[in-house]
C-alpha cells in the first residue's frame, strides 16, 4: 500500500512552482509517473501525493525531497542563500579566518537541514576561497569536485562552467596551456546544453580562449573567440584592448596601434579602470620603445606615465603589478639607451615600493635591471657583477624561468668563459629577446582569466 502524504504545506503549489522554474510542462513532469490529470489534481491540492510518486517527482525536478516534505524548507533555503552571500562577501574582503569558520558552519547547516543539493555551493565556495588566496593546489581540488557532481540542472551547470574557467585560469598561470585549453573547450561544449541560461559563462569562456590563443600565437582563433563575445558581462573596452593587442602582434601599422592605445588609455582613465590602465601602459611602453625609440616620444609620455604610476602604486592589490610595469619601462629604456635621469627615476621608485612586497621574482628582477644599468650605461662592471649575483641569490632554488637564464648569461659575459660558449649563449639569448612581450612581462599585457 502506498503511503499518502497529507495535503498540507502547499505541496502541490511547491511542485508547480518548481516545475515552472525548470521550464517543464505538466505533461513532461507527469510522464513516467502518473497521468496528466492526476498531476494536475496534485498541483491544485485536490488529491494527496504518495511518497513513491513524490520521490519520482523530486528526481524529475532534480530537487531535494525535503523541499516538499519539510514545512520550513523555504526558510532554510533562504538562510543558506544568505549564508552563501555572506561567505562571498568575506572572501572579497579577504577576511580569510572568518570566511573559513563560516564555510564550516555552512557545511554543517547543509547536513543538518538535509539539503544535499546545496553541497555544490559549498564545494564551489571552497574553491574560490583558496583561489583568491593564490593557494592553487587546494583550489584545484575543490573545483574538480564541482565538475564531477553527478546531479545536473541549470544552476549546477553554471557552477560547473565557472569551475572549468577557474581550473583553466590555474593551469594557465602554471603555463600548462594544453590542459587549460582542454577545460575551456570542455566548458564551451557543455554550455551548449543551455546557451541562453549560460550566456554570461559563455562570454567568459570565449574571453579566456582569446587570451590563451594570444599567448600561443594563434591570432586567427583569438580574434574568432573575441568576436563570439556578446558583452553580457564583459565591457567592449576589454575586447577592444585584446583586438589592439592582436593587431600589434600581427604587425599592424605601429602608428595605428599607437593612436588606438592613446584613445583606449583615455577611456580607461575616465572609467578609473586601474587594471586596464596597467595593460594599456604595458603595451604602450613596448610599442613606443620598440617602434618609436626616440627621445621626443619618451619625453611626451613621461608626465602621463608618472601620473598613472602614482595612482597605481597607491592601490594595494595592484602594487606588485605596478612594480612589474615600472620594471618593464626600465628594461626597455636601458635596452634603447633613452635618457639616464628617466631610468634612474624609475629605479628609485621601484626601490621605494619593493619593501612592501615579498615577491622574490620582483626583487630579483630589480637587482638584474640595476646590474644592466651599471654595466651598459654607467660602465661599472664590478658593481654590475655584484648585482647580478645578488639577483641570482634572490631566486628560489626551483625557479628555472627566463630571468634566471638572463642573469646567468650576464654573469658569463663578465666572467672568463670559452669563446665558443659565449657565441652559443649570444645566439640563444638573441632568440629569446625576440619573444620579449610574452617572456618577462607577458602577464602585464595579457588580462587575467575570468571565472
Amino acid at each position: 500500500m502506498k503511503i499518502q502524504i497529507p495535503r498540507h504545506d502547499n505541496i502541490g503549489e511547491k511542485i508547480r512552482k518548481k516545475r515552472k522554474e525548470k521550464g517543464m510542462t505538466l505533461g513532461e513532469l507527469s510522464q513516467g509517473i502518473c497521468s496528466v490529470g492526476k498531476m494536475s489534481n496534485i498541483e491544485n491540492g485536490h488529491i494527496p501525493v504518495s511518497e513513491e510518486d513524490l520521490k519520482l517527482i523530486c528526481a524529475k525536478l532534480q530537487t531535494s525531497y525535503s523541499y516538499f516534505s519539510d514545512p520550513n524548507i523555504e526558510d532554510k533555503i533562504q538562510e543558506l542563500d544568505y549564508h552563501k552571500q555572506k561567505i562571498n562577501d568575506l572572501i572579497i574582503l579577504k577576511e580569510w579566518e572568518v570566511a573559513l569558520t563560516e564555510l564550516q558552519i555552512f557545511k554543517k547547516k547543509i547536513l543538518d537541514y538535509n539539503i544535499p543539493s546545496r553541497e555544490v555551493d559549498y564545494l564551489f565556495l571552497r574553491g574560490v576561497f583558496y583561489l583568491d588566496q593564490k593557494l592553487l593546489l587546494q583550489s584545484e581540488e575543490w573545483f574538480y569536485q564541482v565538475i564531477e557532481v553527478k546531479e545536473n540542472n541549470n544552476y549546477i551547470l553554471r557552477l560547473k562552467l565557472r569551475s572549468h574557467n577557474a581550473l583553466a585560469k590555474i593551469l594557465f598561470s602554471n603555463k600548462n596551456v594544453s590542459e587549460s585549453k582542454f577545460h575551456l573547450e570542455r566548458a564551451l561544449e557543455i554550455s551548449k546544453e543551455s546557451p541562453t541560461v549560460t550566456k554570461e559563462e559563455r562570454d567568459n569562456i570565449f574571453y579566456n580562449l582569446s587570451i590563451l590563443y594570444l599567448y600561443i600565437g594563434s591570432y586567427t582563433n583569438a580574434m574568432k573567440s573575441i568576436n563570439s563575445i556578446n558583452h553580457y558581462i564583459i565591457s567592449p573596452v576589454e575586447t577592444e584592448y585584446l583586438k589592439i593587442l592582436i593587431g600589434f602582434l600581427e604587425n599592424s601599422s605601429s602608428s595605428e596601434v599607437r593612436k588606438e592605445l592613446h584613445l583606449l588609455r583615455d577611456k580607461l582613465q575616465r572609467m578609473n579602470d586601474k587594471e586596464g590602465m596597467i595593460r594599456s601602459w604595458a603595451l604602450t611602453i613596448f610599442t613606443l620603445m620598440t617602434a618609436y625609440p626616440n627621445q621626443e616620444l619618451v619625453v611626451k609620455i613621461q608626465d602621463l606615465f608618472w601620473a598613472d604610476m602614482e595612482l597605481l602604486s597607491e592601490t594595494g592589490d595592484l602594487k606588485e603589478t605596478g612594480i612589474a610595469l615600472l620594471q618593464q619601462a626600465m628594461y626597455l629604456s636601458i635596452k634603447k639607451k633613452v635618457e639616464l635621469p628617466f631610468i634612474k627615476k624609475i629605479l628609485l621608485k621601484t626601490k621605494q615600493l619593493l619593501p612592501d612586497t615579498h615577491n622574490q621574482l620582483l626583487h630579483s628582477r630589480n637587482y638584474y635591471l640595476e646590474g644592466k644599468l651599471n654595466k651598459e650605461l654607467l660602465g661599472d662592471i664590478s658593481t654590475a657583477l655584484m648585482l647580478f649575483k645578488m639577483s641570482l641569490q634572490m631566486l628560489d632554488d626551483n625557479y628555472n624561468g627566463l630571468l634566471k637564464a638572463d642573469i646567468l648569461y650576464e654573469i658569463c659575459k663578465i666572467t672568463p668563459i670559452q669563446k665558443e660558449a659565449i657565441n652559443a649563449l649570444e645566439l640563444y639569448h638573441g632568440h629569446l629577446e625576440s619573444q620579449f612581450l610574452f617572456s618577462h612581462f607577458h602577464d602585464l599585457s595579457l588580462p587575467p582569466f575570468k571565472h
Side-chain angles (χ1 to χ4, degrees):
M1 180 177 177
K2 290 184 178 180
I3 300 173
Q4 301 293 322
I5 298 177
R7 289 174 287 171
H8 61 63
D9 304 326
N10 302 315
I11 286 180
E13 290 181 15
K14 289 180 180 179
I15 293 172
R16 182 189 294 113
K17 178 183 176 183
K18 189 59 65 175
R19 171 174 64 78
K20 290 185 175 180
E21 282 178 10
K22 300 288 184 180
M24 296 175 68
T25 65
L26 196 64
E28 288 171 334
L29 177 58
S30 61
Q31 189 175 8
I33 300 175
C34 62
S35 68
V36 175
K38 182 179 178 181
M39 186 64 74
S40 176
N41 282 326
I42 290 171
E43 285 195 354
N44 290 319
H46 298 322
I47 60 173
V49 60
S50 70
E51 184 178 13
E52 181 182 337
D53 284 348
L54 186 56
K55 286 179 179 178
L56 293 172
I57 290 169
C58 289
K60 203 80 172 284
L61 295 174
Q62 296 176 326
T63 304
S64 169
Y65 184 83
S66 61
Y67 177 82
F68 302 106
S69 61
D70 186 346
N72 301 313
I73 191 65
E74 294 284 2
D75 291 337
K76 289 176 179 177
I77 289 176
Q78 190 173 359
E79 184 182 345
L80 288 175
D81 286 340
Y82 167 78
H83 210 121
K84 180 179 69 174
Q85 186 58 52
K86 181 181 179 181
I87 294 168
N88 260 318
D89 293 341
L90 287 168
I91 292 172
I92 291 170
L93 293 170
K94 302 187 186 306
E95 296 286 347
W96 307 122
E97 290 186 14
V98 183
L100 184 58
T101 300
E102 292 298 327
L103 276 165
Q104 292 165 345
I105 294 171
F106 186 58
K107 172 69 170 177
K108 188 175 184 303
K109 283 185 176 180
I110 291 170
L111 294 172
D112 290 345
Y113 294 167
N114 191 26
I115 310 179
S117 60
R118 305 310 294 268
E119 189 172 349
V120 67
D121 286 319
Y122 170 75
L123 299 174
F124 183 77
L125 286 170
R126 285 299 291 252
V128 175
F129 172 77
Y130 288 117
L131 181 60
D132 282 18
Q133 294 180 77
K134 297 182 172 58
L135 299 172
L136 303 185
L137 284 176
Q138 294 94 319
S139 177
E140 200 173 340
E141 176 188 338
W142 292 98
F143 285 128
Y144 272 116
Q145 289 187 61
V146 174
I147 64 175
E148 289 167 4
V149 168
K150 291 182 180 179
E151 186 181 354
N152 230 348
N153 56 46
N154 285 334
Y155 178 74
I156 292 176
L157 176 61
R158 294 182 70 182
L159 288 185
K160 286 184 177 182
L161 294 180
R162 292 173 189 174
S163 297
H164 275 296
N165 267 326
L167 287 166
K169 175 188 175 79
I170 293 167
L171 292 160
F172 185 74
S173 69
N174 291 327
K175 306 299 180 287
N176 191 339
V177 178
S178 59
E179 282 297 309
S180 178
K181 184 170 176 283
F182 166 79
H183 280 283
L184 291 175
E185 290 175 342
R186 176 62 182 149
L188 188 60
E189 182 184 338
I190 64 174
S191 73
K192 294 174 184 176
E193 296 174 16
S194 300
T196 304
V197 174
T198 61
K199 59 186 181 182
E200 293 181 1
E201 285 73 24
R202 284 171 63 84
D203 263 11
N204 283 342
I205 296 165
F206 284 122
Y207 184 80
N208 294 342
L209 274 171
S210 66
I211 295 168
L212 186 144
Y213 283 129
L214 264 171
Y215 180 75
I216 63 176
S218 182
Y219 305 130
T220 302
N221 282 325
M223 186 63 78
K224 182 180 176 182
S225 296
I226 291 170
N227 289 334
S228 298
I229 295 170
N230 290 308
H231 300 106
Y232 292 112
I233 55 173
I234 295 171
S235 72
V237 173
E238 292 181 278
T239 53
E240 183 182 344
Y241 171 78
L242 289 172
K243 289 178 181 179
I244 292 172
L245 183 53
I246 292 172
F248 172 67
L249 295 173
E250 285 188 313
N251 299 316
S252 290
S253 166
S254 296
S255 59
E256 285 182 21
V257 172
R258 190 161 68 98
K259 182 179 178 181
E260 289 174 346
L261 283 170
H262 179 72
L263 293 172
L264 178 64
R265 188 201 158 278
D266 286 345
K267 285 183 186 178
L268 294 167
Q269 184 80 10
R270 289 194 296 271
M271 294 166 62
N272 197 30
D273 182 350
K274 294 176 183 177
E275 290 186 359
M277 285 162 59
I278 283 175
R279 291 192 293 276
S280 63
W281 265 119
L283 193 52
T284 298
I285 291 167
F286 185 75
T287 54
L288 286 173
M289 296 297 184
T290 52
Y292 298 93
N294 60 65
Q295 296 284 354
E296 289 183 14
L297 284 164
V298 173
V299 170
K300 282 182 181 179
I301 68 166
Q302 277 190 38
D303 289 342
L304 287 173
F305 177 73
W306 284 115
D308 282 350
M309 287 311 304
E310 287 299 325
L311 176 66
L312 294 170
S313 64
E314 294 170 2
T315 307
D317 290 348
L318 298 178
K319 187 165 288 186
E320 288 190 1
T321 313
I323 293 170
L325 183 59
L326 284 163
Q327 289 175 337
Q328 184 199 38
M330 188 170 18
Y331 183 103
L332 287 168
S333 299
I334 292 169
K335 182 180 177 183
K336 294 298 178 181
K337 296 180 172 57
V338 301
E339 56 180 29
L340 191 58
F342 178 59
I343 300 171
K344 287 184 174 179
K345 185 177 179 181
I346 298 174
L347 180 61
L348 179 62
K349 184 66 176 176
T350 57
K351 286 185 173 182
Q352 290 171 348
L353 296 173
L354 278 168
D356 293 332
T357 176
H358 298 292
N359 188 320
Q360 296 299 99
L361 190 64
L362 292 177
H363 285 273
S364 175
R365 192 189 283 148
N366 227 58
Y367 282 127
Y368 165 75
L369 291 170
E370 191 176 358
K372 293 273 285 184
L373 171 62
N374 276 272
K375 173 176 169 283
E376 297 181 18
L377 299 185
L378 301 179
D380 189 344
I381 304 301
S382 61
T383 300
L385 182 59
M386 178 191 71
L387 288 164
F388 289 141
K389 289 181 177 179
M390 290 173 66
S391 177
L392 193 60
Q393 289 171 1
M394 292 297 296
L395 292 174
D396 187 273
D397 291 339
N398 296 320
Y399 174 81
N400 290 310
L402 185 59
L403 179 58
K404 189 173 185 178
D406 278 348
I407 297 167
L408 291 170
Y409 171 70
E410 294 295 345
I411 292 173
C412 288
K413 286 185 71 177
I414 295 172
T415 54
I417 191 171
Q418 290 182 355
K419 183 179 178 181
E420 291 80 3
I422 277 290
N423 289 339
L425 283 170
E426 286 179 346
L427 283 170
Y428 183 65
H429 192 267
H431 288 297
L432 286 177
E433 280 197 313
S434 67
Q435 304 297 320
F436 172 78
L437 188 61
F438 294 133
S439 56
H440 283 309
F441 303 102
H442 77 269
D443 291 332
L444 288 174
S445 301
L446 289 173
F449 275 24
K450 294 180 181 290
H451 66 90

